[in-house]
């Protein structure tokens, strides 16, 4: 086991830099997950907005719509002067302006759906979409009542009663303990999302220089001259690499258990752990490929930064996949970390797709195939290099 002992001695040399990666990651991960979960899981509450109303129709239907909005927001009747509207929106004294034109009621009861009303909004303010949704909900309910045979007057009263009853039924379904559990689970998802970048970086930075040492021509000849067979040499290096990578992985699993408690032992937490385990063969295979070219320490750091940062930005670690362009996503599907993040988003629900074990296993299978393909490529490069040295 001389080769294995030499591997462990070499690994100690790179222990400080890996510990530095670990401490930095834990610090950033805790800060990032706390920021994201506090923002993501803030308690829901309805907010009253300031809405300006210009009711040119003055009908029962326009009045009923105004009453509905007034039950949730602060309404301010306005004159039609354009300068007045723009000033109020510019100085944020109003969040939204609704204009109900003449003939609103007539067009509504006639079944018209387009150009029933006009709005003036502040560009880029999401509260405007919230009000649009409420108006749309009111009009859809009213149309259903009319389609059900109600008279216009009865339809207006029934719509008001129905929406009032619906709003009274809105309540928080989860107690405080469950909310805290969800917050912890969200933190787990963010932790394992950033973990992909750090694990690959630590494997490349720590394992590649060790493998490069054994690729060195004179050392390889000395080992081949000894009683240690080529198979034994490779098995001892493989054993050292396995223990090295497993040690890194277990360290992070234990850390996540300490940080997030029982959330790690939930079904979702275990799925995240299983997903992260398949990062190891991918990282080891990439390290084997890089080590075949016997790069220097500075070159390894450069390759590490290019590969890990590049995949992190392209695959959705630093920027959510939903925010990436179609061209970027099409390219990133050829990278292994895309499928890791795809699974993490699937577990968390952040990607907008419903979780299914079939999709989860499919993404795991793709990660396994990437590990096999990269490992095969590393063996092919190593074999080619060996043949060239003999020639």
């Amino acid at each position: 086991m001389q080769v294995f002992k030499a591997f462990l001695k070499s690994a100690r040399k790179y222990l400080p830099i890996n510990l530095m990666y670990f401490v930095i990651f834990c610090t950033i991960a805790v800060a990032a997950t706390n920021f994201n979960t506090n923002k993501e899981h803030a308690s829901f509450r309805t907010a009253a907005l300031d809405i300006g109303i210009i009711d040119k129709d003055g009908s029962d239907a326009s009045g009923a719509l105004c009453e509905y909005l007034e039950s949730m927001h602060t309404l301010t009747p306005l004159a039609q002067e354009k300068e007045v509207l723009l000033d109020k929106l510019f100085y944020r004294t109003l969040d939204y302006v609704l204009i109900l034109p003449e003939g609103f009621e007539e067009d509504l009861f006639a079944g018209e759906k387009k150009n029933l009303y006009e709005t003036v909004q502040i560009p880029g303010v999401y509260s405007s979409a919230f009000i649009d949704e409420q108006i749309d909900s009111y009009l859809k309910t009213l149309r259903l009542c009319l389609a059900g045979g109600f008279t216009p007057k009865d339809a207006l009263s029934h719509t008001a009663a129905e929406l009032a009853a619906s709003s009274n039924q809105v309540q928080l379904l989860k107690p405080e303990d469950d909310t805290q559990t969800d917050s912890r689970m969200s933190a787990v998802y963010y932790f394992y999302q950033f973990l992909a970048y750090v694990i690959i970086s630590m494997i490349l930075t720590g394992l590649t220089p060790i493998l490069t040492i054994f690729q060195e021509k004179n050392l390889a000849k000395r080992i081949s001259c000894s009683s240690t067979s080529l198979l034994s040499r490779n098995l001892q290096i493989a054993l050292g690499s396995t223990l090295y990578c497993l040690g890194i992985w277990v360290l992070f699993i234990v850390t996540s258990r300490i940080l997030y408690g029982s959330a790690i032992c939930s079904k979702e937490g275990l799925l995240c752990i299983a997903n992260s385990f398949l990062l190891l063969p991918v990282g080891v295979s990439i390290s084997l490929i890089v080590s075949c070219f016997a790069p220097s320490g500075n070159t390894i750091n450069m390759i590490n930064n290019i590969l890990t940062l590049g995949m992190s930005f392209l695959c959705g670690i630093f920027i959510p996949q939903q925010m990436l362009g179609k061209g970027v996503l099409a390219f990133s599907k050829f990278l292994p970390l895309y499928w890791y993040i795809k699974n993490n988003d699937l577990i968390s629900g952040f990607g907008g797709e419903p979780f299914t074990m079939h999709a989860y296993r499919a993404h795991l299978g793709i990660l396994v195939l990437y590990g096999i393909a990269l490992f095969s490529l590393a063996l092919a490069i190593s074999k080619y290099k060996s043949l060239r040295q003999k020639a």
Side-chain angles (χ1 to χ4, degrees):
M1 299 292 285
Q2 293 299 318
V3 175
F4 179 71
K5 292 179 180 179
F7 184 98
L8 294 182
K9 289 181 179 179
S10 299
R12 291 176 191 169
K13 178 181 177 181
Y14 299 96
L15 185 61
I17 189 170
N18 280 328
L19 288 177
M20 181 186 71
Y21 265 103
F22 172 73
V23 172
I24 292 174
F25 168 72
C26 288
T27 304
I28 295 176
V30 170
T33 53
N34 286 339
F35 171 76
N36 283 302
T37 51
N38 289 338
K39 180 177 66 175
E40 193 75 28
H41 290 276
S43 298
F44 173 80
R45 66 167 191 236
T46 56
L49 302 173
D50 294 314
I51 302 177
I53 295 288
I54 300 176
D55 186 2
K56 298 180 182 179
D57 195 41
S59 62
D60 292 338
S62 62
L65 177 57
C66 292
E67 289 179 7
Y68 166 67
L69 293 174
E70 194 170 17
S71 66
M72 298 174 290
H73 305 286
T74 303
L75 265 60
T76 304
L78 294 175
Q80 195 181 351
E81 288 82 358
K82 186 176 181 180
E83 291 184 1
V84 174
L85 300 182
L86 295 178
D87 285 344
K88 289 184 177 294
L89 289 171
F90 179 79
Y91 291 109
R92 300 299 195 269
T93 56
L94 289 178
D95 300 299
Y96 188 97
V97 175
L98 175 64
I99 303 172
L100 301 175
E102 292 181 6
F104 170 77
E105 181 180 75
E106 183 180 349
D107 291 341
L108 178 61
F109 291 154
E112 293 289 338
K113 294 184 179 180
K114 295 183 179 179
N115 302 321
L116 279 176
Y117 59 91
E118 300 175 23
T119 63
V120 183
Q121 307 174 13
I122 303 172
V125 176
Y126 295 106
S127 58
S128 300
F130 177 55
I131 302 172
D132 285 337
E133 183 64 29
Q134 290 177 330
I135 296 174
D136 188 54
S137 176
Y138 177 88
L139 296 178
K140 284 181 179 179
T141 305
L142 181 59
R143 292 190 188 103
L144 286 174
C145 292
L146 292 170
F150 286 94
T151 64
K153 184 177 180 180
D154 291 340
L156 291 173
S157 61
H158 189 78
T159 299
E162 182 69 24
L163 292 174
S166 299
S167 63
N168 289 335
Q169 291 173 1
V170 175
Q171 57 181 320
L172 292 175
L173 297 179
K174 295 182 178 180
E176 185 66 24
D177 290 344
D178 289 341
T179 302
Q180 292 176 357
T181 300
D182 281 353
S183 180
R184 287 196 300 269
M185 281 310 306
S186 181
V188 169
Y189 302 139
Y190 283 113
F191 180 91
Y192 279 93
Q193 179 166 321
F194 294 122
L195 182 64
Y197 163 71
V198 181
I199 278 190
I200 299 296
S201 292
M202 289 181 68
I203 291 176
L204 277 174
T205 305
L207 184 60
T208 305
I210 302 172
L211 295 175
T212 301
I213 292 174
F214 289 97
Q215 294 283 350
E216 203 273 325
K217 188 175 180 180
N218 292 330
L219 180 60
K221 287 182 177 180
R222 288 182 61 185
I223 295 175
S224 63
C225 292
S226 67
S227 59
T228 304
S229 65
L230 180 62
L231 176 61
S232 175
R233 165 188 174 272
N234 290 338
L235 287 176
Q236 290 182 55
I237 294 175
L239 176 61
S241 300
T242 301
L243 292 177
Y244 179 86
C245 294
L246 279 177
I248 292 174
W249 181 72
V250 169
L251 181 63
F252 282 111
I253 301 304
V254 172
T255 302
S256 65
R257 178 68 173 87
I258 295 171
L259 290 175
Y260 308 116
S262 60
I264 290 296
C265 301
S266 65
K267 176 185 175 182
E268 292 80 5
L270 295 176
L271 290 174
C272 288
I273 292 174
N275 193 38
S276 68
F277 180 76
L278 292 181
L279 290 172
L280 301 184
V282 172
V284 171
S285 300
I286 294 174
S287 293
L288 285 170
I289 293 173
V290 175
S291 67
C292 288
F293 300 97
S296 63
N298 291 333
T299 305
I300 291 174
N301 290 330
M302 182 184 68
I303 294 172
N304 173 40
N305 290 330
I306 293 173
L307 287 178
T308 56
L309 288 176
M311 286 195 293
S312 296
F313 281 108
L314 292 172
C315 297
I317 295 177
F318 297 151
I319 302 172
Q321 290 184 352
Q322 309 92 286
M323 298 178 64
L324 297 174
K326 292 182 180 179
V328 175
L329 287 175
F331 175 77
S332 63
K333 288 180 181 178
F334 294 95
L335 302 174
L337 292 190
Y338 171 86
W339 302 102
Y340 172 83
I341 297 299
K342 193 76 174 174
N343 250 356
N344 199 59
D345 287 346
L346 196 67
I347 298 168
S348 65
F350 293 161
E353 298 181 24
F355 175 83
T356 62
M357 282 302 298
H358 175 74
Y360 176 80
R361 292 193 191 102
H363 298 158
L364 287 183
I366 293 173
L367 275 174
V368 171
L369 291 176
Y370 266 108
I372 294 173
L374 291 171
F375 185 73
S376 300
L377 178 61
L379 291 179
I381 294 174
S382 178
K383 182 68 174 178
Y384 175 76
K385 184 179 179 182
S386 177
L387 292 174
R388 284 200 61 183
Q389 287 177 347
K390 289 181 180 179

